[in-house]
Amino acid sequence: WVGSGSVIKDRNDSYHLFYTGHNQQHNPVEAVMHSVATDSTLTNWETKPELTFSGGDGYSNFDFRDPLVFWNSAAQKYWMLITSRYQSKAAIGLYTSDDLNHWVAAAPLYTEVSPLNLEVADYFSLDGTPFIIYSDQRDSSHQVKFLSEDASVWVKPVNDALDGKAFYAARTAGNQDERLLFG
């Protein structure tokens, strides 16, 4: 089946869709899939199976999903945040690319000891402060939570929930002054 992902427009005005492919009968079970729009309507897409990839370099290939792709102007690279496990910890993984076709594993942006995952990560800045939101899989805290970056370290505040229980798998839209949360 197909899981969550994201769409990005490249520098040549082409649209790229990155999404999760999941197949219990296949190894790896989860992989990042890539399709490119063949017209400007965004209704016709060409799948690029040769660009499919999964975990490695410490990342799980069983839990490897929810790609969020965006241009990071500070790093001058495309970034892809991934729901994964890294060395047996729940992770918001990071892959980088110069061209949207070839991805390199980097150290995760955030990890924590948890038997479950930190799903559907989103990344944005408000008033110059970078934030990551994610959905916590644990039944005791099944909700959207957030991290903020302080001096290149991702900090999880004591009161980290953005809404009540069962508000889940949210992504955001907005500008540098405000964000809307959809889940």
Side-chain angles (χ1 to χ4, degrees), residues 85-98:
R85 310 243 352 129
Y86 186 79
Q87 299 176 347
S88 300
K89 293 180 183 174
I92 297 172
L94 175 63
Y95 279 71
T96 64
S97 175
D98 294 321

Side-chain angles (χ1 to χ4, degrees), residues 9-28:
K9 183 164 80 170
D10 70 17
R11 294 181 187 132
N12 299 320
D13 294 330
S14 294
Y15 287 90
H16 298 257
L17 169 63
F18 295 89
Y19 55 97
T20 306
H22 180 97
N23 185 339
Q24 286 287 99
Q25 309 307 313
H26 192 269
N27 187 13

Side-chain angles (χ1 to χ4, degrees), residues 33-108:
M33 314 274 304
H34 184 175
S35 294
V36 177
T38 58
D39 60 30
S40 61
T41 67
L42 303 183
T43 56
N44 298 302
W45 296 85
E46 180 185 347
T47 300
K48 302 288 188 180
E50 71 278 9
L51 299 177
T52 299
F53 72 98
S54 191
D57 297 311
Y59 287 106
S60 168
N61 65 8
F62 182 83
D63 291 305
F64 196 81
R65 61 183 171 276
D66 307 328
L68 172 75
V69 177
F70 60 95
W71 176 253
N72 184 315
S73 57
Q76 289 294 292
K77 290 193 177 287
Y78 291 102
W79 276 22
M80 179 186 291
L81 303 189
I82 291 286
T83 296
S84 191
R85 310 243 352 129
Y86 186 79
Q87 299 176 347
S88 300
K89 293 180 183 174
I92 297 172
L94 175 63
Y95 279 71
T96 64
S97 175
D98 294 321
D99 62 6
L100 293 173
N101 294 319
H102 305 93
W103 293 91
V104 176

Side-chain angles (χ1 to χ4, degrees), residues 150-169:
D150 184 19
S152 299
V153 174
W154 289 97
V155 178
K156 183 176 181 177
V158 173
N159 297 317
D160 62 345
L162 292 175
D163 207 322
K165 287 185 72 137
F167 181 69
Y168 199 76

